[in-house]
Protein backbone atom coordinates (compact mmCIF):
# COMPACT_ATOMS: atom_id res chain seq x y z
CA UNK A 1 0.00 0.00 0.00
CA UNK A 2 2.76 2.44 0.95
CA UNK A 3 4.60 1.75 -2.32
CA UNK A 4 1.40 2.29 -4.31
CA UNK A 5 0.70 5.56 -2.49
CA UNK A 6 4.23 6.77 -3.11
CA UNK A 7 4.17 5.88 -6.81
CA UNK A 8 0.78 7.57 -7.29
CA UNK A 9 2.07 10.72 -5.58
CA UNK A 10 5.29 10.62 -7.62
CA UNK A 11 3.45 10.26 -10.93
CA UNK A 12 0.90 12.96 -10.15
CA UNK A 13 3.47 15.32 -8.66
CA UNK A 14 5.83 15.14 -11.62
CA UNK A 15 2.96 15.52 -14.11
CA UNK A 16 1.60 18.60 -12.39
CA UNK A 17 5.07 20.04 -11.76
CA UNK A 18 6.07 19.63 -15.42
CA UNK A 19 2.99 21.51 -16.57
CA UNK A 20 3.52 24.21 -13.94
CA UNK A 21 7.16 24.64 -15.00
CA UNK A 22 6.10 24.98 -18.63
CA UNK A 23 3.49 27.65 -17.88
CA UNK A 24 5.95 29.49 -15.66
CA UNK A 25 8.65 29.42 -18.34
CA UNK A 26 6.31 30.69 -21.06
CA UNK A 27 4.20 33.15 -19.05
CA UNK A 28 5.15 33.80 -15.43
CA UNK A 29 8.95 34.07 -15.62
CA UNK A 30 8.96 36.66 -18.46
CA UNK A 31 6.80 38.90 -16.27
CA UNK A 32 9.22 38.44 -13.35
CA UNK A 33 12.15 39.33 -15.60
CA UNK A 34 10.37 42.52 -16.68
CA UNK A 35 9.79 43.46 -13.03
CA UNK A 36 13.46 42.78 -12.21
CA UNK A 37 14.43 45.41 -14.78
CA UNK A 38 12.53 48.04 -12.77
CA UNK A 39 13.98 46.73 -9.51
CA UNK A 40 17.56 46.80 -10.81
CA UNK A 41 17.05 50.28 -12.26
CA UNK A 42 15.87 51.55 -8.87
CA UNK A 43 18.73 49.79 -7.07
CA UNK A 44 21.38 51.11 -9.43
CA UNK A 45 21.44 54.44 -7.62
CA UNK A 46 21.37 52.92 -4.12
CA UNK A 47 24.52 52.46 -1.99
CA UNK A 48 25.98 48.93 -1.88
CA UNK A 49 25.04 46.50 -0.51
CA UNK A 50 21.39 47.08 -1.37
CA UNK A 51 18.68 45.77 0.90
CA UNK A 52 15.58 43.88 -0.15
CA UNK A 53 12.06 44.78 0.94
CA UNK A 54 12.25 42.49 3.99
CA UNK A 55 15.23 44.33 5.43
CA UNK A 56 18.00 41.81 4.56
CA UNK A 57 20.75 41.88 1.99
CA UNK A 58 20.00 40.59 -1.47
CA UNK A 59 19.76 36.80 -1.53
CA UNK A 60 21.38 34.49 -4.06
CA UNK A 61 19.29 33.65 -7.09
CA UNK A 62 20.06 31.48 -10.12
CA UNK A 63 21.23 33.06 -13.34
CA UNK A 64 18.63 33.83 -15.98
CA UNK A 65 18.16 31.05 -18.52
CA UNK A 66 18.75 27.36 -17.98
CA UNK A 67 19.97 27.68 -14.36
CA UNK A 68 16.77 29.47 -13.37
CA UNK A 69 14.61 27.03 -15.34
CA UNK A 70 16.30 23.98 -13.77
CA UNK A 71 16.02 25.45 -10.28
CA UNK A 72 12.34 26.19 -10.87
CA UNK A 73 11.70 22.69 -12.22
CA UNK A 74 13.45 21.07 -9.25
CA UNK A 75 11.49 23.15 -6.77
CA UNK A 76 8.21 22.45 -8.54
CA UNK A 77 8.98 18.72 -8.62
CA UNK A 78 9.60 18.56 -4.88
CA UNK A 79 6.49 20.63 -4.22
CA UNK A 80 4.34 18.53 -6.55
CA UNK A 81 5.43 15.22 -5.03
CA UNK A 82 4.89 16.59 -1.53
CA UNK A 83 1.38 17.75 -2.31
CA UNK A 84 0.77 14.48 -4.15
CA UNK A 85 1.66 12.54 -1.00
CA UNK A 86 -0.77 14.70 0.93
CA UNK A 87 -3.60 13.93 -1.52
CA UNK A 88 -2.91 10.21 -1.73
CA UNK A 89 -2.85 10.09 2.06
CA UNK A 90 -6.29 11.64 2.05
CA UNK A 91 -7.43 9.13 -0.57
CA UNK A 92 -6.35 6.30 1.72
CA UNK A 93 -8.74 7.74 4.30
CA UNK A 94 -11.52 8.70 1.90
CA UNK A 95 -11.20 6.78 -1.38
CA UNK A 96 -12.16 8.80 -4.49
CA UNK A 97 -14.94 7.30 -6.60
CA UNK A 98 -13.49 8.72 -9.79
CA UNK A 99 -11.28 11.35 -11.37
CA UNK A 100 -13.92 14.01 -10.75
CA UNK A 101 -13.50 13.61 -7.00
CA UNK A 102 -9.75 13.92 -7.46
CA UNK A 103 -10.35 17.20 -9.28
CA UNK A 104 -12.50 18.31 -6.34
CA UNK A 105 -9.68 17.50 -3.91
CA UNK A 106 -7.30 19.40 -6.19
CA UNK A 107 -9.65 22.38 -6.20
CA UNK A 108 -9.70 22.26 -2.41
CA UNK A 109 -5.90 22.26 -2.34
CA UNK A 110 -5.87 25.23 -4.70
CA UNK A 111 -8.24 27.10 -2.38
CA UNK A 112 -6.24 26.25 0.75
CA UNK A 113 -2.73 26.93 -0.50
CA UNK A 114 -3.23 29.63 -3.11
CA UNK A 115 -6.65 31.22 -3.59
CA UNK A 116 -7.59 31.96 0.03
CA UNK A 117 -4.16 33.29 1.10
CA UNK A 118 -3.94 35.15 -2.21
CA UNK A 119 -7.07 37.14 -1.43
CA UNK A 120 -5.19 38.96 1.30
CA UNK A 121 -1.61 38.54 0.12
CA UNK A 122 -1.52 38.43 -3.69
CA UNK A 123 1.58 37.05 -5.40
CA UNK A 124 4.37 39.62 -5.42
CA UNK A 125 6.65 40.75 -8.19
CA UNK A 126 10.26 41.76 -7.50
CA UNK A 127 10.20 45.30 -6.15
CA UNK A 128 6.68 45.13 -4.71
CA UNK A 129 6.12 46.81 -1.36
CA UNK A 130 5.27 44.31 1.38
CA UNK A 131 4.68 44.11 5.12
CA UNK A 132 7.13 42.48 7.53
CA UNK A 133 7.93 38.91 6.49
CA UNK A 134 7.07 37.23 9.80
CA UNK A 135 3.62 38.84 9.90
CA UNK A 136 2.89 37.74 6.34
CA UNK A 137 4.02 34.18 7.02
CA UNK A 138 1.88 33.95 10.16
CA UNK A 139 -1.21 35.24 8.36
CA UNK A 140 -0.64 32.93 5.39
CA UNK A 141 -0.31 29.88 7.64
CA UNK A 142 -3.37 30.82 9.71
CA UNK A 143 -5.39 31.37 6.53
CA UNK A 144 -4.36 28.01 5.06
CA UNK A 145 -5.27 26.20 8.29
CA UNK A 146 -8.60 27.98 8.65
CA UNK A 147 -9.46 27.33 5.01
CA UNK A 148 -8.58 23.64 5.28
CA UNK A 149 -10.61 23.23 8.46
CA UNK A 150 -13.49 25.29 7.13
CA UNK A 151 -13.73 23.36 3.87
CA UNK A 152 -13.57 20.08 5.76
CA UNK A 153 -16.46 21.07 8.01
CA UNK A 154 -18.55 22.56 5.20
CA UNK A 155 -18.03 19.78 2.65
CA UNK A 156 -17.50 16.65 4.74
CA UNK A 157 -19.93 17.18 7.63
CA UNK A 158 -23.71 16.84 7.61
CA UNK A 159 -24.42 18.58 10.93
CA UNK A 160 -25.59 22.14 10.40
CA UNK A 161 -23.77 23.65 13.43
CA UNK A 162 -20.47 22.21 12.18
CA UNK A 163 -21.08 23.60 8.72
CA UNK A 164 -21.80 27.02 10.19
CA UNK A 165 -18.57 26.76 12.17
CA UNK A 166 -16.78 25.87 8.94
CA UNK A 167 -18.15 28.95 7.23
CA UNK A 168 -16.95 31.08 10.13
CA UNK A 169 -13.47 29.56 9.85
CA UNK A 170 -13.37 30.35 6.14
CA UNK A 171 -14.21 34.00 6.79
CA UNK A 172 -12.16 34.54 9.96
CA UNK A 173 -8.70 35.37 8.51
CA UNK A 174 -10.22 37.76 5.97
CA UNK A 175 -12.22 39.52 8.67
CA UNK A 176 -9.01 39.98 10.65
CA UNK A 177 -7.21 41.13 7.51
CA UNK A 178 -3.78 40.47 6.08
CA UNK A 179 -0.77 42.62 7.05
CA UNK A 180 -0.01 45.32 4.49
CA UNK A 181 2.75 47.93 4.13
CA UNK A 182 2.06 51.66 4.54
CA UNK A 183 2.40 52.10 0.77
CA UNK A 184 0.77 49.82 -1.78
CA UNK A 185 2.08 48.88 -5.18
CA UNK A 186 5.71 48.55 -6.15
CA UNK A 187 8.37 49.51 -8.65
CA UNK A 188 6.77 47.76 -11.63
CA UNK A 189 3.70 49.22 -13.41
CA UNK A 190 0.27 48.16 -12.17
CA UNK A 191 -0.57 46.56 -15.53
CA UNK A 192 2.41 44.22 -15.14
CA UNK A 193 1.30 43.37 -11.61
CA UNK A 194 -2.21 42.48 -12.81
CA UNK A 195 -0.80 40.25 -15.56
CA UNK A 196 1.43 38.49 -13.04
CA UNK A 197 -1.42 37.79 -10.64
CA UNK A 198 -3.55 36.40 -13.45
CA UNK A 199 -0.69 34.24 -14.72
CA UNK A 200 0.06 32.79 -11.29
CA UNK A 201 -3.64 32.22 -10.61
CA UNK A 202 -4.20 30.22 -13.79
CA UNK A 203 -0.87 28.38 -13.51
CA UNK A 204 -1.62 27.22 -9.98
CA UNK A 205 -5.20 26.31 -10.84
CA UNK A 206 -3.89 24.14 -13.67
CA UNK A 207 -1.26 22.62 -11.37
CA UNK A 208 -3.81 21.62 -8.74
CA UNK A 209 -6.30 20.37 -11.30
CA UNK A 210 -3.74 18.05 -12.88
CA UNK A 211 -2.42 17.00 -9.47
CA UNK A 212 -5.89 16.10 -8.21
CA UNK A 213 -7.03 14.32 -11.36
CA UNK A 214 -3.86 12.32 -11.99
CA UNK A 215 -3.41 11.38 -8.33
CA UNK A 216 -6.98 10.08 -8.11
CA UNK A 217 -6.65 8.09 -11.34
CA UNK A 218 -3.28 6.65 -10.28
CA UNK A 219 -4.56 5.82 -6.80
CA UNK A 220 -7.53 3.92 -8.20
CA UNK A 221 -5.24 2.11 -10.64
CA UNK A 222 -2.49 1.09 -8.22
CA UNK A 223 -4.53 0.82 -5.01
CA UNK A 224 -7.56 -1.29 -6.01
CA UNK A 225 -10.44 -1.50 -3.56
CA UNK A 226 -10.43 -4.61 -1.41
Amino acid sequence: MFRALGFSAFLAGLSAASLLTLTQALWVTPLILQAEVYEEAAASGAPEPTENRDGGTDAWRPETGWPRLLATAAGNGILGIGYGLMLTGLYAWRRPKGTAQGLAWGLAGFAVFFAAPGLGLPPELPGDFAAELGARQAWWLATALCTAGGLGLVCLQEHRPLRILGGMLLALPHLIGAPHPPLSGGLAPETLRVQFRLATLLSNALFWGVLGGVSAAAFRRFCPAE
Side-chain angles (χ1 to χ4, degrees), residues 14-74:
L14 286 189
S15 299
S18 298
L19 191 57
L20 178 62
T21 301
L22 179 62
T23 58
Q24 288 175 333
L26 296 178
W27 193 7
V28 178
T29 299
L31 298 176
I32 295 176
L33 294 177
Q34 292 181 52
E36 287 179 351
V37 173
Y38 292 94
E39 185 182 39
E40 291 169 1
S44 61
E48 296 294 337
T50 59
E51 290 189 351
N52 59 32
R53 60 178 181 271
D54 294 322
T57 56
D58 289 336
W60 174 88
R61 60 188 178 190
E63 296 292 334
T64 301
W66 282 107
R68 183 187 290 242
L69 179 61
L70 292 176
T72 300

Side-chain angles (χ1 to χ4, degrees), residues 190-216:
E190 182 63 25
T191 54
L192 185 62
R193 194 171 295 106
V194 171
Q195 293 178 51
F196 177 71
R197 291 175 181 175
L198 177 61
T200 54
L201 175 71
L202 295 180
S203 297
N204 278 272
L206 190 60
F207 167 82
W208 279 103
V210 171
L211 186 68
V214 174
S215 63

